[in-house]
Amino acid sequence: MSAERIYLDFNASTPIAPEVAETMKPFLSQHFGNPSSLHWAGIPAKEAVEHARQQVAELLQCSPDEIVFTSGGSESNNHAIKGVFFALREKGNHIITTQIEHPAVINPCRFLEKLGAEVTFVPVDRYGRTDPQDIQKAITPRTILITVMHANNEVGTIQPIKEISKIAKERGIVLHTDAAQSVGKIATKVDELRVDLLSIAGHKLYAPKGVGALYIREGTPIEPLIHGAGHESGRRAGTENILLIVGLGKACDVAKRYVGDDRICSMRDRFWKLLQDNFGEKVVLNGHPLHLLPNTLNVSFVGKAGGELLSRLDGVAASTGAACHSGSVELSPVLKAMGISPEVGMGAIRFSLGRTTTIQELERVVQLLKNTLP
Ligand SMILES: Cc1ncc(COP(=O)(O)O)c(C=O)c1O
């Protein structure tokens, strides 16, 4: 008999929500027109795209004109970072980011270094949080962009974006946040965060993979990433992927019901309590105890190898804090930047909960861990 399947990897990807799938259906079979066409087939397609734009804007509390649809979180980040660099390279070449960003931020920055950018990767504390003062200190007269993720994908730590935005505003520097992991989990109102650019990834919020959005505050200096015809008001060329865009719009609409709902957070807290009760000092939390995504629990089983442990949890889908590079297992750059020792970091497992997670599943994982760990 095969083991019960338990999915605790919602930070890696979410299933498509049933309401989202339902909304997308007519766009698989009936509505095929090009949104740029002015006839009977194009007009409903255009209306569907604009309705979705409105739905995304409502979640972020911005104007629909400030939303550009993209192919996902990676494209949104590339657009934001390269777009601001290309728009402002006459003014300056300095970019500030952190050491724990997703590769979809780190690598565009590394790429721009080859084109003359100077990038400061500010450190984080042992909980994965950036000190806004470190950002302040890193600013030079040549700084054109600050890009700091809203919440970290591995450990779930939430960054002090409002404090960072205060600093950025005072110095007139464009601020981008990669909100791929926070949208739909915590509030991401752009005027509260006071960001100029914000990235969304559809498949982290129960929309399909391959779709996302970039919020661009009106007036932000930014070049397009993809040049071509005038789609998306000249900001992103390419015939709109209506099917996926409609899915993203609906997902944002549904997400409004979940932001601030503490069911998942309570389960996560209960899970952490059970782990502590059962494993005491042998289990430690990676990530901030308070400023933490409500669904994420990254814990280390001290002295163990996370990957090995996970492979013994039959049927459980979760992630580890280490990755295999050319044959050897290395600590993730995020845990490294947090100053976590290899003894602790190598035993890290990220459990990320979602809408369908039940407390019974979490109790089962604790039982499986008890059977595995001496
Ligand atoms: C924080 C963060 N940013 C960006 C991305 C990339 O998003 P996508 O897979 O949609 O390109 C991810 C996905 O893992 C992520 O977790």
Side-chain angles (χ1 to χ4, degrees):
M1 207 177 76
S2 64
E4 182 196 350
R5 285 176 153 192
I6 299 177
Y7 188 76
L8 290 173
D9 209 9
F10 288 82
N11 284 11
S13 202
T14 56
I16 298 176
E19 305 94 317
V20 170
E22 205 49 45
T23 306
M24 288 170 66
K25 265 187 198 160
F27 294 87
L28 263 175
S29 51
Q30 299 159 37
H31 306 309
F32 64 91
N34 186 324
S36 300
S37 303
L38 300 176
H39 48 61
W40 59 264
I43 291 167
K46 172 89 179 152
E47 281 170 359
V49 170
E50 294 319 312
H51 180 59
R53 201 184 305 281
Q54 177 80 42
Q55 289 171 312
V56 179
E58 269 170 30
L59 184 62
L60 302 186
Q61 303 260 291
C62 65
S63 159
D65 303 340
E66 294 173 310
I67 297 297
V68 172
F69 290 112
T70 68
S71 65
S74 299
E75 183 186 324
S76 297
N77 287 343
N78 271 267
H79 188 168
I81 296 164
K82 294 175 186 169
V84 170
F85 178 77
F86 288 129
L88 293 180
R89 66 195 303 184
E90 301 299 312
K91 193 177 156 210
N93 66 340
H94 183 229
I95 297 170
I96 299 173
T97 188
T98 79
Q99 291 176 0
I100 58 151
E101 299 298 311
H102 190 273
V105 164
I106 300 273
N107 289 332
C109 288
R110 290 273 182 231
F111 169 74
L112 290 179
E113 281 178 329
K114 293 188 218 159
L115 302 188
E118 279 178 34
V119 185
T120 304
F121 295 89
V122 299
V124 292
D125 63 17
R126 59 184 286 261
Y127 304 110
R129 240 180 163 226
T130 310
D131 182 346
Q133 290 312 310
D134 286 339
I135 305 261
Q136 172 118 47
K137 279 185 234 149
I139 294 174
T140 76
R142 308 269 301 154
T143 307
I144 50 170
L145 174 69
I146 298 173
T147 171
V148 175
M149 71 197 324
H150 191 196
N152 182 266
N153 42 304
E154 278 182 49
V155 294
T157 299
I158 299 168
Q159 299 297 343
I161 298 295
K162 286 184 211 170
E163 288 85 333
I164 294 168
S165 69
K166 198 163 169 278
I167 293 164
K169 289 283 152 313
E170 274 166 15
R171 301 293 293 263
I173 300 166
V174 176
L175 176 62
H176 165 246
T177 194
D178 174 358
Q181 290 292 345
S182 57
V183 171
K185 293 177 187 152
I186 56 173
T188 47
K189 297 177 183 163
V190 289
D191 280 344
E192 257 176 41
L193 295 172
R194 296 177 69 213
V195 291
D196 302 302
L197 300 158
L198 179 145
S199 300
I200 302 182
H203 72 113
K204 312 287 184 186
L205 100 140
Y206 303 84
K209 292 160 190 57
V211 67
L214 179 64
Y215 157 76
I216 305 179
R217 185 178 292 278
E218 202 196 332
T220 304
I222 183 165
E223 284 293 330
L225 184 68
I226 302 177
H227 297 88
H231 307 97
E232 299 291 287
S233 307
R235 293 171 298 186
R236 200 269 189 183
T239 301
E240 295 85 349
N241 190 335
I242 316 168
L243 177 69
L244 300 189
I245 288 173
V246 163
L248 180 63
K250 183 65 186 179
C252 287
D253 188 41
V254 174
K256 286 193 283 185
R257 295 207 301 267
Y258 288 91
V259 175
D261 171 5
D262 61 8
R263 192 189 75 93
I264 293 175
C265 191
S266 316
M267 277 195 296
R268 190 272 316 270
D269 290 347
R270 172 93 190 114
F271 184 37
W272 175 222
K273 170 107 188 20
L274 283 175
L275 290 174
Q276 283 175 297
D277 288 350
N278 282 282
F279 303 109
E281 286 176 0
K282 281 189 249 157
V283 64
V284 295
L285 178 72
N286 300 314
H288 201 284
L290 294 176
H291 301 289
L292 192 62
L293 282 177
N295 78 319
T296 306
L297 188 71
N298 187 316
V299 287
S300 275
F301 295 89
V302 182
K304 305 283 168 205
E308 217 179 284
L309 197 53
L310 205 49
S311 68
R312 280 190 259 142
L313 304 183
D314 222 5
V316 178
S319 291
T320 63
C324 200
H325 290 292
S326 12
S328 66
V329 181
E330 274 180 31
L331 199 59
S332 86
V334 172
L335 297 181
K336 240 188 232 170
M338 287 163 65
I340 310 259
S341 71
E343 208 220 348
V344 173
M346 294 307 263
I349 299 183
R350 176 190 70 185
F351 297 103
S352 50
L353 288 58
R355 290 177 193 165
T356 48
T357 303
T358 63
I359 195 70
Q360 288 76 17
E361 286 180 322
L362 301 174
E363 285 166 356
R364 170 94 187 120
V365 173
V366 175
Q367 189 55 51
L368 287 169
L369 281 163
K370 273 166 70 176
N371 298 345
T372 307
L373 289 168

